[in-house]
PDB file of all heavy atoms in Angstrom:
ATOM      1  N   GLU A 113       3.018  55.973 -12.591  1.00 96.00           N
ATOM      2  CA  GLU A 113       2.511  55.790 -11.233  1.00 96.00           C
ATOM      3  C   GLU A 113       1.536  56.967 -10.864  1.00 96.00           C
ATOM      4  O   GLU A 113       0.418  56.772 -10.237  1.00 96.00           O
ATOM      5  CB  GLU A 113       3.626  55.686 -10.220  1.00 96.00           C
ATOM      6  CG  GLU A 113       3.166  55.649  -8.760  1.00 96.00           C
ATOM      7  CD  GLU A 113       2.303  54.458  -8.427  1.00 96.00           C
ATOM      8  OE1 GLU A 113       2.313  53.472  -9.160  1.00 96.00           O
ATOM      9  OE2 GLU A 113       1.591  54.475  -7.398  1.00 96.00           O
ATOM     10  N   ILE A 114       1.907  58.245 -11.321  1.00 96.00           N
ATOM     11  CA  ILE A 114       1.023  59.346 -11.090  1.00 96.00           C
ATOM     12  C   ILE A 114      -0.301  59.092 -11.787  1.00 96.00           C
ATOM     13  O   ILE A 114      -1.315  59.413 -11.246  1.00 96.00           O
ATOM     14  CB  ILE A 114       1.741  60.659 -11.622  1.00 96.00           C
ATOM     15  CG1 ILE A 114       2.937  60.980 -10.681  1.00 96.00           C
ATOM     16  CG2 ILE A 114       0.655  61.796 -11.498  1.00 96.00           C
ATOM     17  CD1 ILE A 114       3.727  62.108 -11.171  1.00 96.00           C
ATOM     18  N   LEU A 115      -0.169  58.649 -13.034  1.00 96.00           N
ATOM     19  CA  LEU A 115      -1.410  58.404 -13.763  1.00 96.00           C
ATOM     20  C   LEU A 115      -2.314  57.295 -13.140  1.00 96.00           C
ATOM     21  O   LEU A 115      -3.552  57.392 -13.152  1.00 96.00           O
ATOM     22  CB  LEU A 115      -1.074  57.938 -15.262  1.00 96.00           C
ATOM     23  CG  LEU A 115      -0.559  59.028 -16.133  1.00 96.00           C
ATOM     24  CD1 LEU A 115      -0.058  58.500 -17.442  1.00 96.00           C
ATOM     25  CD2 LEU A 115      -1.556  60.098 -16.371  1.00 96.00           C
ATOM     26  N   ARG A 116      -1.687  56.320 -12.527  1.00 96.00           N
ATOM     27  CA  ARG A 116      -2.388  55.195 -11.886  1.00 96.00           C
ATOM     28  C   ARG A 116      -3.185  55.817 -10.701  1.00 96.00           C
ATOM     29  O   ARG A 116      -4.352  55.503 -10.482  1.00 96.00           O
ATOM     30  CB  ARG A 116      -1.500  54.122 -11.417  1.00 96.00           C
ATOM     31  CG  ARG A 116      -2.179  52.924 -10.771  1.00 96.00           C
ATOM     32  CD  ARG A 116      -1.293  52.006  -9.954  1.00 96.00           C
ATOM     33  NE  ARG A 116      -0.683  52.657  -8.851  1.00 96.00           N
ATOM     34  CZ  ARG A 116      -1.398  52.933  -7.685  1.00 96.00           C
ATOM     35  NH1 ARG A 116      -2.660  52.508  -7.618  1.00 96.00           N
ATOM     36  NH2 ARG A 116      -0.787  53.523  -6.693  1.00 96.00           N
ATOM     37  N   VAL A 117      -2.531  56.606  -9.909  1.00 96.00           N
ATOM     38  CA  VAL A 117      -3.201  57.314  -8.734  1.00 96.00           C
ATOM     39  C   VAL A 117      -4.373  58.134  -9.260  1.00 96.00           C
ATOM     40  O   VAL A 117      -5.400  58.044  -8.584  1.00 96.00           O
ATOM     41  CB  VAL A 117      -2.183  58.142  -8.020  1.00 96.00           C
ATOM     42  CG1 VAL A 117      -2.908  58.912  -6.872  1.00 96.00           C
ATOM     43  CG2 VAL A 117      -1.094  57.208  -7.353  1.00 96.00           C
ATOM     44  N   GLN A 118      -4.133  58.769 -10.317  1.00 95.00           N
ATOM     45  CA  GLN A 118      -5.227  59.577 -10.876  1.00 95.00           C
ATOM     46  C   GLN A 118      -6.450  58.785 -11.327  1.00 95.00           C
ATOM     47  O   GLN A 118      -7.590  59.110 -11.173  1.00 95.00           O
ATOM     48  CB  GLN A 118      -4.726  60.520 -12.003  1.00 95.00           C
ATOM     49  CG  GLN A 118      -5.560  61.702 -12.406  1.00 95.00           C
ATOM     50  CD  GLN A 118      -5.653  62.678 -11.278  1.00 95.00           C
ATOM     51  OE1 GLN A 118      -4.751  63.380 -11.008  1.00 95.00           O
ATOM     52  NE2 GLN A 118      -6.867  62.772 -10.617  1.00 95.00           N
ATOM     53  N   LYS A 119      -6.118  57.673 -12.065  1.00 95.00           N
ATOM     54  CA  LYS A 119      -7.099  56.757 -12.502  1.00 95.00           C
ATOM     55  C   LYS A 119      -7.874  56.171 -11.375  1.00 95.00           C
ATOM     56  O   LYS A 119      -9.127  56.048 -11.372  1.00 95.00           O
ATOM     57  CB  LYS A 119      -6.489  55.611 -13.297  1.00 95.00           C
ATOM     58  CG  LYS A 119      -7.506  54.664 -13.975  1.00 95.00           C
ATOM     59  CD  LYS A 119      -6.792  53.549 -14.704  1.00 95.00           C
ATOM     60  CE  LYS A 119      -7.802  52.561 -15.258  1.00 95.00           C
ATOM     61  NZ  LYS A 119      -7.129  51.470 -16.011  1.00 95.00           N
ATOM     62  N   ASP A 120      -7.204  55.898 -10.283  1.00 97.00           N
ATOM     63  CA  ASP A 120      -7.882  55.324  -9.077  1.00 97.00           C
ATOM     64  C   ASP A 120      -8.851  56.342  -8.525  1.00 97.00           C
ATOM     65  O   ASP A 120      -9.955  55.996  -7.986  1.00 97.00           O
ATOM     66  CB  ASP A 120      -6.816  54.957  -7.974  1.00 97.00           C
ATOM     67  CG  ASP A 120      -6.091  53.730  -8.285  1.00 97.00           C
ATOM     68  OD1 ASP A 120      -6.476  53.015  -9.198  1.00 97.00           O
ATOM     69  OD2 ASP A 120      -5.015  53.484  -7.628  1.00 97.00           O
ATOM     70  N   TYR A 121      -8.443  57.629  -8.606  1.00 97.00           N
ATOM     71  CA  TYR A 121      -9.428  58.742  -8.166  1.00 97.00           C
ATOM     72  C   TYR A 121     -10.687  58.722  -8.968  1.00 97.00           C
ATOM     73  O   TYR A 121     -11.851  58.815  -8.343  1.00 97.00           O
ATOM     74  CB  TYR A 121      -8.709  60.072  -8.227  1.00 97.00           C
ATOM     75  CG  TYR A 121      -9.560  61.234  -7.697  1.00 97.00           C
ATOM     76  CD1 TYR A 121     -10.029  61.337  -6.435  1.00 97.00           C
ATOM     77  CD2 TYR A 121      -9.963  62.223  -8.579  1.00 97.00           C
ATOM     78  CE1 TYR A 121     -10.871  62.375  -5.981  1.00 97.00           C
ATOM     79  CE2 TYR A 121     -10.794  63.343  -8.248  1.00 97.00           C
ATOM     80  CZ  TYR A 121     -11.152  63.328  -6.928  1.00 97.00           C
ATOM     81  OH  TYR A 121     -12.042  64.364  -6.503  1.00 97.00           O
ATOM     82  N   PHE A 122     -10.564  58.750 -10.271  1.00 96.00           N
ATOM     83  CA  PHE A 122     -11.743  58.705 -11.138  1.00 96.00           C
ATOM     84  C   PHE A 122     -12.650  57.452 -10.819  1.00 96.00           C
ATOM     85  O   PHE A 122     -13.838  57.656 -10.750  1.00 96.00           O
ATOM     86  CB  PHE A 122     -11.368  58.721 -12.567  1.00 96.00           C
ATOM     87  CG  PHE A 122     -10.623  59.936 -13.029  1.00 96.00           C
ATOM     88  CD1 PHE A 122      -9.539  59.817 -13.931  1.00 96.00           C
ATOM     89  CD2 PHE A 122     -10.958  61.168 -12.490  1.00 96.00           C
ATOM     90  CE1 PHE A 122      -8.851  60.989 -14.421  1.00 96.00           C
ATOM     91  CE2 PHE A 122     -10.255  62.285 -12.907  1.00 96.00           C
ATOM     92  CZ  PHE A 122      -9.236  62.227 -13.865  1.00 96.00           C
ATOM     93  N   GLU A 123     -12.008  56.356 -10.562  1.00 95.00           N
ATOM     94  CA  GLU A 123     -12.805  55.069 -10.278  1.00 95.00           C
ATOM     95  C   GLU A 123     -13.367  55.222  -8.955  1.00 95.00           C
ATOM     96  O   GLU A 123     -14.590  54.749  -8.773  1.00 95.00           O
ATOM     97  CB  GLU A 123     -11.869  53.915 -10.396  1.00 95.00           C
ATOM     98  CG  GLU A 123     -11.471  53.547 -11.763  1.00 95.00           C
ATOM     99  CD  GLU A 123     -10.435  52.440 -11.868  1.00 95.00           C
ATOM    100  OE1 GLU A 123      -9.960  51.935 -10.795  1.00 95.00           O
ATOM    101  OE2 GLU A 123     -10.153  51.916 -12.954  1.00 95.00           O
ATOM    102  N   SER A 124     -12.789  55.906  -8.032  1.00 96.00           N
ATOM    103  CA  SER A 124     -13.345  56.109  -6.688  1.00 96.00           C
ATOM    104  C   SER A 124     -14.616  56.960  -6.772  1.00 96.00           C
ATOM    105  O   SER A 124     -15.592  56.792  -6.051  1.00 96.00           O
ATOM    106  CB  SER A 124     -12.343  56.764  -5.762  1.00 96.00           C
ATOM    107  OG  SER A 124     -11.275  55.904  -5.515  1.00 96.00           O
ATOM    108  N   LEU A 125     -14.536  57.993  -7.682  1.00 95.00           N
ATOM    109  CA  LEU A 125     -15.787  58.852  -7.804  1.00 95.00           C
ATOM    110  C   LEU A 125     -16.909  58.040  -8.345  1.00 95.00           C
ATOM    111  O   LEU A 125     -18.090  58.210  -7.880  1.00 95.00           O
ATOM    112  CB  LEU A 125     -15.417  59.989  -8.765  1.00 95.00           C
ATOM    113  CG  LEU A 125     -14.419  61.106  -8.274  1.00 95.00           C
ATOM    114  CD1 LEU A 125     -14.174  62.149  -9.326  1.00 95.00           C
ATOM    115  CD2 LEU A 125     -14.933  61.758  -7.056  1.00 95.00           C
ATOM    116  N   THR A 126     -16.679  57.231  -9.391  1.00 94.00           N
ATOM    117  CA  THR A 126     -17.767  56.461  -9.969  1.00 94.00           C
ATOM    118  C   THR A 126     -18.259  55.352  -9.044  1.00 94.00           C
ATOM    119  O   THR A 126     -19.469  54.970  -9.183  1.00 94.00           O
ATOM    120  CB  THR A 126     -17.283  55.771 -11.300  1.00 94.00           C
ATOM    121  OG1 THR A 126     -16.239  54.851 -10.947  1.00 94.00           O
ATOM    122  CG2 THR A 126     -16.891  56.763 -12.254  1.00 94.00           C
ATOM    123  N   SER A 127     -17.437  55.042  -8.059  1.00 95.00           N
ATOM    124  CA  SER A 127     -17.947  53.958  -7.127  1.00 95.00           C
ATOM    125  C   SER A 127     -18.884  54.443  -5.971  1.00 95.00           C
ATOM    126  O   SER A 127     -19.363  53.603  -5.294  1.00 95.00           O
ATOM    127  CB  SER A 127     -16.706  53.329  -6.480  1.00 95.00           C
ATOM    128  OG  SER A 127     -16.014  54.114  -5.545  1.00 95.00           O
ATOM    129  N   ILE A 128     -18.924  55.757  -5.858  1.00 93.00           N
ATOM    130  CA  ILE A 128     -19.837  56.183  -4.712  1.00 93.00           C
ATOM    131  C   ILE A 128     -21.300  56.233  -5.018  1.00 93.00           C
ATOM    132  O   ILE A 128     -22.098  56.651  -4.221  1.00 93.00           O
ATOM    133  CB  ILE A 128     -19.290  57.634  -4.181  1.00 93.00           C
ATOM    134  CG1 ILE A 128     -19.309  58.698  -5.337  1.00 93.00           C
ATOM    135  CG2 ILE A 128     -17.992  57.603  -3.557  1.00 93.00           C
ATOM    136  CD1 ILE A 128     -18.860  60.027  -4.952  1.00 93.00           C
ATOM    137  N   LYS A 129     -21.670  55.823  -6.213  1.00 85.00           N
ATOM    138  CA  LYS A 129     -22.996  55.426  -6.667  1.00 85.00           C
ATOM    139  C   LYS A 129     -24.004  56.474  -6.377  1.00 85.00           C
ATOM    140  O   LYS A 129     -24.293  57.404  -7.168  1.00 85.00           O
ATOM    141  CB  LYS A 129     -23.383  54.114  -6.019  1.00 85.00           C
ATOM    142  CG  LYS A 129     -22.566  52.964  -6.556  1.00 85.00           C
ATOM    143  CD  LYS A 129     -22.988  51.578  -5.925  1.00 85.00           C
ATOM    144  CE  LYS A 129     -22.080  50.459  -6.463  1.00 85.00           C
ATOM    145  NZ  LYS A 129     -22.436  49.195  -5.938  1.00 85.00           N
ATOM    146  N   ASP A 130     -24.661  56.498  -5.136  1.00 93.00           N
ATOM    147  CA  ASP A 130     -25.755  57.454  -4.948  1.00 93.00           C
ATOM    148  C   ASP A 130     -25.380  58.929  -4.864  1.00 93.00           C
ATOM    149  O   ASP A 130     -26.138  59.822  -4.809  1.00 93.00           O
ATOM    150  CB  ASP A 130     -26.585  57.038  -3.735  1.00 93.00           C
ATOM    151  CG  ASP A 130     -25.781  57.007  -2.447  1.00 93.00           C
ATOM    152  OD1 ASP A 130     -24.559  57.161  -2.524  1.00 93.00           O
ATOM    153  OD2 ASP A 130     -26.356  56.772  -1.363  1.00 93.00           O
ATOM    154  N   SER A 131     -24.031  59.119  -4.826  1.00 96.00           N
ATOM    155  CA  SER A 131     -23.499  60.474  -4.852  1.00 96.00           C
ATOM    156  C   SER A 131     -22.856  60.841  -6.224  1.00 96.00           C
ATOM    157  O   SER A 131     -22.167  61.901  -6.372  1.00 96.00           O
ATOM    158  CB  SER A 131     -22.538  60.767  -3.731  1.00 96.00           C
ATOM    159  OG  SER A 131     -23.149  60.766  -2.447  1.00 96.00           O
ATOM    160  N   PHE A 132     -23.086  59.974  -7.176  1.00 97.00           N
ATOM    161  CA  PHE A 132     -22.492  60.132  -8.480  1.00 97.00           C
ATOM    162  C   PHE A 132     -23.630  59.912  -9.536  1.00 97.00           C
ATOM    163  O   PHE A 132     -24.247  58.844  -9.582  1.00 97.00           O
ATOM    164  CB  PHE A 132     -21.364  59.043  -8.704  1.00 97.00           C
ATOM    165  CG  PHE A 132     -20.654  59.101 -10.027  1.00 97.00           C
ATOM    166  CD1 PHE A 132     -19.613  59.904 -10.208  1.00 97.00           C
ATOM    167  CD2 PHE A 132     -21.087  58.365 -11.109  1.00 97.00           C
ATOM    168  CE1 PHE A 132     -18.952  59.965 -11.410  1.00 97.00           C
ATOM    169  CE2 PHE A 132     -20.492  58.396 -12.292  1.00 97.00           C
ATOM    170  CZ  PHE A 132     -19.368  59.236 -12.472  1.00 97.00           C
ATOM    171  N   MET A 133     -23.865  60.940 -10.300  1.00 97.00           N
ATOM    172  CA  MET A 133     -24.986  60.868 -11.292  1.00 97.00           C
ATOM    173  C   MET A 133     -24.473  61.142 -12.775  1.00 97.00           C
ATOM    174  O   MET A 133     -24.181  62.223 -13.029  1.00 97.00           O
ATOM    175  CB  MET A 133     -26.015  61.867 -10.880  1.00 97.00           C
ATOM    176  CG  MET A 133     -27.254  61.915 -11.861  1.00 97.00           C
ATOM    177  SD  MET A 133     -28.408  63.350 -11.577  1.00 97.00           S
ATOM    178  CE  MET A 133     -28.966  62.803  -9.930  1.00 97.00           C
ATOM    179  N   PRO A 134     -24.533  60.082 -13.614  1.00 97.00           N
ATOM    180  CA  PRO A 134     -24.263  60.323 -14.967  1.00 97.00           C
ATOM    181  C   PRO A 134     -25.328  61.188 -15.577  1.00 97.00           C
ATOM    182  O   PRO A 134     -26.507  60.958 -15.352  1.00 97.00           O
ATOM    183  CB  PRO A 134     -24.251  59.003 -15.623  1.00 97.00           C
ATOM    184  CG  PRO A 134     -24.023  58.012 -14.373  1.00 97.00           C
ATOM    185  CD  PRO A 134     -24.683  58.674 -13.226  1.00 97.00           C
ATOM    186  N   ILE A 135     -24.992  62.176 -16.382  1.00 98.00           N
ATOM    187  CA  ILE A 135     -25.936  63.096 -17.033  1.00 98.00           C
ATOM    188  C   ILE A 135     -25.936  62.642 -18.474  1.00 98.00           C
ATOM    189  O   ILE A 135     -24.905  62.846 -19.220  1.00 98.00           O
ATOM    190  CB  ILE A 135     -25.583  64.565 -16.849  1.00 98.00           C
ATOM    191  CG1 ILE A 135     -25.450  64.872 -15.353  1.00 98.00           C
ATOM    192  CG2 ILE A 135     -26.625  65.460 -17.508  1.00 98.00           C
ATOM    193  CD1 ILE A 135     -26.701  64.742 -14.600  1.00 98.00           C
ATOM    194  N   THR A 136     -27.006  62.110 -18.990  1.00 97.00           N
ATOM    195  CA  THR A 136     -27.053  61.536 -20.406  1.00 97.00           C
ATOM    196  C   THR A 136     -28.153  62.313 -21.284  1.00 97.00           C
ATOM    197  O   THR A 136     -28.049  62.133 -22.449  1.00 97.00           O
ATOM    198  CB  THR A 136     -27.339  60.080 -20.405  1.00 97.00           C
ATOM    199  OG1 THR A 136     -28.671  59.827 -19.784  1.00 97.00           O
ATOM    200  CG2 THR A 136     -26.277  59.315 -19.642  1.00 97.00           C
ATOM    201  N   THR A 137     -29.033  63.030 -20.689  1.00 96.00           N
ATOM    202  CA  THR A 137     -30.078  63.759 -21.448  1.00 96.00           C
ATOM    203  C   THR A 137     -30.353  65.099 -20.784  1.00 96.00           C
ATOM    204  O   THR A 137     -30.022  65.340 -19.681  1.00 96.00           O
ATOM    205  CB  THR A 137     -31.401  62.952 -21.473  1.00 96.00           C
ATOM    206  OG1 THR A 137     -31.918  62.922 -20.157  1.00 96.00           O
ATOM    207  CG2 THR A 137     -31.136  61.496 -21.946  1.00 96.00           C
ATOM    208  N   ASN A 138     -31.023  65.926 -21.582  1.00 95.00           N
ATOM    209  CA  ASN A 138     -31.435  67.225 -21.056  1.00 95.00           C
ATOM    210  C   ASN A 138     -32.417  67.066 -19.897  1.00 95.00           C
ATOM    211  O   ASN A 138     -32.494  67.869 -18.993  1.00 95.00           O
ATOM    212  CB  ASN A 138     -32.119  68.119 -22.139  1.00 95.00           C
ATOM    213  CG  ASN A 138     -31.113  68.929 -22.925  1.00 95.00           C
ATOM    214  OD1 ASN A 138     -30.056  69.230 -22.468  1.00 95.00           O
ATOM    215  ND2 ASN A 138     -31.411  69.186 -24.229  1.00 95.00           N
ATOM    216  N   GLY A 139     -33.184  65.849 -19.957  1.00 96.00           N
ATOM    217  CA  GLY A 139     -34.074  65.638 -18.836  1.00 96.00           C
ATOM    218  C   GLY A 139     -33.385  65.449 -17.506  1.00 96.00           C
ATOM    219  O   GLY A 139     -33.877  65.831 -16.493  1.00 96.00           O
ATOM    220  N   ASP A 140     -32.177  64.873 -17.562  1.00 98.00           N
ATOM    221  CA  ASP A 140     -31.381  64.789 -16.297  1.00 98.00           C
ATOM    222  C   ASP A 140     -30.997  66.152 -15.790  1.00 98.00           C
ATOM    223  O   ASP A 140     -31.039  66.433 -14.539  1.00 98.00           O
ATOM    224  CB  ASP A 140     -30.053  64.026 -16.592  1.00 98.00           C
ATOM    225  CG  ASP A 140     -30.321  62.561 -16.931  1.00 98.00           C
ATOM    226  OD1 ASP A 140     -31.360  62.028 -16.490  1.00 98.00           O
ATOM    227  OD2 ASP A 140     -29.529  61.928 -17.640  1.00 98.00           O
ATOM    228  N   VAL A 141     -30.620  67.090 -16.644  1.00 97.00           N
ATOM    229  CA  VAL A 141     -30.257  68.484 -16.220  1.00 97.00           C
ATOM    230  C   VAL A 141     -31.536  69.164 -15.723  1.00 97.00           C
ATOM    231  O   VAL A 141     -31.467  69.931 -14.724  1.00 97.00           O
ATOM    232  CB  VAL A 141     -29.699  69.261 -17.398  1.00 97.00           C
ATOM    233  CG1 VAL A 141     -29.236  70.642 -16.933  1.00 97.00           C
ATOM    234  CG2 VAL A 141     -28.514  68.549 -18.018  1.00 97.00           C
ATOM    235  N   ASP A 142     -32.658  68.956 -16.423  1.00 96.00           N
ATOM    236  CA  ASP A 142     -33.933  69.599 -15.956  1.00 96.00           C
ATOM    237  C   ASP A 142     -34.349  69.076 -14.555  1.00 96.00           C
ATOM    238  O   ASP A 142     -34.813  69.850 -13.744  1.00 96.00           O
ATOM    239  CB  ASP A 142     -35.062  69.248 -16.953  1.00 96.00           C
ATOM    240  CG  ASP A 142     -34.969  69.905 -18.233  1.00 96.00           C
ATOM    241  OD1 ASP A 142     -34.202  70.952 -18.330  1.00 96.00           O
ATOM    242  OD2 ASP A 142     -35.548  69.489 -19.293  1.00 96.00           O
ATOM    243  N   LYS A 143     -34.065  67.816 -14.326  1.00 97.00           N
ATOM    244  CA  LYS A 143     -34.322  67.226 -12.971  1.00 97.00           C
ATOM    245  C   LYS A 143     -33.504  67.940 -11.873  1.00 97.00           C
ATOM    246  O   LYS A 143     -34.041  68.201 -10.788  1.00 97.00           O
ATOM    247  CB  LYS A 143     -34.108  65.763 -12.969  1.00 97.00           C
ATOM    248  CG  LYS A 143     -34.546  65.059 -11.676  1.00 97.00           C
ATOM    249  CD  LYS A 143     -34.431  63.504 -11.895  1.00 97.00           C
ATOM    250  CE  LYS A 143     -34.971  62.792 -10.651  1.00 97.00           C
ATOM    251  NZ  LYS A 143     -34.930  61.341 -10.837  1.00 97.00           N
ATOM    252  N   LEU A 144     -32.247  68.214 -12.172  1.00 98.00           N
ATOM    253  CA  LEU A 144     -31.429  68.899 -11.225  1.00 98.00           C
ATOM    254  C   LEU A 144     -31.983  70.346 -11.021  1.00 98.00           C
ATOM    255  O   LEU A 144     -31.930  70.847  -9.853  1.00 98.00           O
ATOM    256  CB  LEU A 144     -29.949  68.923 -11.720  1.00 98.00           C
ATOM    257  CG  LEU A 144     -29.238  67.690 -11.715  1.00 98.00           C
ATOM    258  CD1 LEU A 144     -27.875  67.850 -12.459  1.00 98.00           C
ATOM    259  CD2 LEU A 144     -28.923  67.239 -10.238  1.00 98.00           C
ATOM    260  N   LEU A 145     -32.433  70.980 -12.039  1.00 96.00           N
ATOM    261  CA  LEU A 145     -32.926  72.322 -12.003  1.00 96.00           C
ATOM    262  C   LEU A 145     -34.225  72.338 -11.173  1.00 96.00           C
ATOM    263  O   LEU A 145     -34.355  73.151 -10.239  1.00 96.00           O
ATOM    264  CB  LEU A 145     -33.218  72.877 -13.405  1.00 96.00           C
ATOM    265  CG  LEU A 145     -33.841  74.239 -13.480  1.00 96.00           C
ATOM    266  CD1 LEU A 145     -32.912  75.301 -13.069  1.00 96.00           C
ATOM    267  CD2 LEU A 145     -34.288  74.575 -14.904  1.00 96.00           C
ATOM    268  N   HIS A 146     -35.161  71.465 -11.460  1.00 96.00           N
ATOM    269  CA  HIS A 146     -36.454  71.452 -10.800  1.00 96.00           C
ATOM    270  C   HIS A 146     -36.348  71.131  -9.342  1.00 96.00           C
ATOM    271  O   HIS A 146     -37.207  71.460  -8.518  1.00 96.00           O
ATOM    272  CB  HIS A 146     -37.388  70.544 -11.540  1.00 96.00           C
ATOM    273  CG  HIS A 146     -37.743  70.919 -12.940  1.00 96.00           C
ATOM    274  ND1 HIS A 146     -38.030  70.090 -13.926  1.00 96.00           N
ATOM    275  CD2 HIS A 146     -37.736  72.185 -13.500  1.00 96.00           C
ATOM    276  CE1 HIS A 146     -38.274  70.751 -15.052  1.00 96.00           C
ATOM    277  NE2 HIS A 146     -38.044  72.044 -14.828  1.00 96.00           N
ATOM    278  N   ASN A 147     -35.287  70.444  -8.921  1.00 97.00           N
ATOM    279  CA  ASN A 147     -35.114  70.037  -7.539  1.00 97.00           C
ATOM    280  C   ASN A 147     -34.188  70.999  -6.808  1.00 97.00           C
ATOM    281  O   ASN A 147     -33.743  70.711  -5.643  1.00 97.00           O
ATOM    282  CB  ASN A 147     -34.607  68.623  -7.445  1.00 97.00           C
ATOM    283  CG  ASN A 147     -35.746  67.609  -7.729  1.00 97.00           C
ATOM    284  OD1 ASN A 147     -36.540  67.280  -6.824  1.00 97.00           O
ATOM    285  ND2 ASN A 147     -35.849  67.073  -8.942  1.00 97.00           N
ATOM    286  N   GLY A 148     -33.778  72.018  -7.466  1.00 95.00           N
ATOM    287  CA  GLY A 148     -33.012  73.078  -6.732  1.00 95.00           C
ATOM    288  C   GLY A 148     -31.481  72.884  -6.610  1.00 95.00           C
ATOM    289  O   GLY A 148     -30.809  73.592  -5.926  1.00 95.00           O
ATOM    290  N   TYR A 149     -30.921  71.839  -7.328  1.00 97.00           N
ATOM    291  CA  TYR A 149     -29.497  71.590  -7.223  1.00 97.00           C
ATOM    292  C   TYR A 149     -28.644  72.586  -8.087  1.00 97.00           C
ATOM    293  O   TYR A 149     -27.535  72.857  -7.754  1.00 97.00           O
ATOM    294  CB  TYR A 149     -29.167  70.190  -7.659  1.00 97.00           C
ATOM    295  CG  TYR A 149     -29.651  69.137  -6.647  1.00 97.00           C
ATOM    296  CD1 TYR A 149     -30.819  68.541  -6.850  1.00 97.00           C
ATOM    297  CD2 TYR A 149     -28.864  68.843  -5.554  1.00 97.00           C
ATOM    298  CE1 TYR A 149     -31.296  67.514  -5.883  1.00 97.00           C
ATOM    299  CE2 TYR A 149     -29.275  67.812  -4.620  1.00 97.00           C
ATOM    300  CZ  TYR A 149     -30.503  67.290  -4.804  1.00 97.00           C
ATOM    301  OH  TYR A 149     -30.974  66.313  -3.889  1.00 97.00           O
ATOM    302  N   ILE A 150     -29.280  73.049  -9.150  1.00 97.00           N
ATOM    303  CA  ILE A 150     -28.706  74.070  -9.992  1.00 97.00           C
ATOM    304  C   ILE A 150     -29.725  75.175 -10.318  1.00 97.00           C
ATOM    305  O   ILE A 150     -30.916  74.935 -10.115  1.00 97.00           O
ATOM    306  CB  ILE A 150     -28.198  73.491 -11.346  1.00 97.00           C
ATOM    307  CG1 ILE A 150     -29.268  72.813 -12.055  1.00 97.00           C
ATOM    308  CG2 ILE A 150     -27.018  72.504 -11.030  1.00 97.00           C
ATOM    309  CD1 ILE A 150     -28.938  72.279 -13.496  1.00 97.00           C
ATOM    310  N   THR A 151     -29.287  76.218 -10.792  1.00 95.00           N
ATOM    311  CA  THR A 151     -30.210  77.361 -11.152  1.00 95.00           C
ATOM    312  C   THR A 151     -29.751  77.922 -12.508  1.00 95.00           C
ATOM    313  O   THR A 151     -28.634  77.632 -12.994  1.00 95.00           O
ATOM    314  CB  THR A 151     -30.181  78.531 -10.170  1.00 95.00           C
ATOM    315  OG1 THR A 151     -28.859  79.106  -9.988  1.00 95.00           O
ATOM    316  CG2 THR A 151     -30.740  78.089  -8.800  1.00 95.00           C
ATOM    317  N   LYS A 152     -30.602  78.730 -13.112  1.00 94.00           N
ATOM    318  CA  LYS A 152     -30.180  79.370 -14.363  1.00 94.00           C
ATOM    319  C   LYS A 152     -29.322  80.626 -13.924  1.00 94.00           C
ATOM    320  O   LYS A 152     -29.499  81.209 -12.873  1.00 94.00           O
ATOM    321  CB  LYS A 152     -31.419  79.889 -15.132  1.00 94.00           C
ATOM    322  CG  LYS A 152     -32.159  78.767 -15.765  1.00 94.00           C
ATOM    323  CD  LYS A 152     -33.264  79.237 -16.725  1.00 94.00           C
ATOM    324  CE  LYS A 152     -33.976  78.023 -17.432  1.00 94.00           C
ATOM    325  NZ  LYS A 152     -34.923  78.513 -18.443  1.00 94.00           N
TER     326      LYS A 152
END
């Protein structure tokens, strides 16, 4: 049951869509850098 609650949390994160960004390439990381969300 604890694992089910935890799984629900992960699924809730993925469901928020425009506040959830999969990072699949270095280009995605570069985009975060160039827009000021992260720094070196």
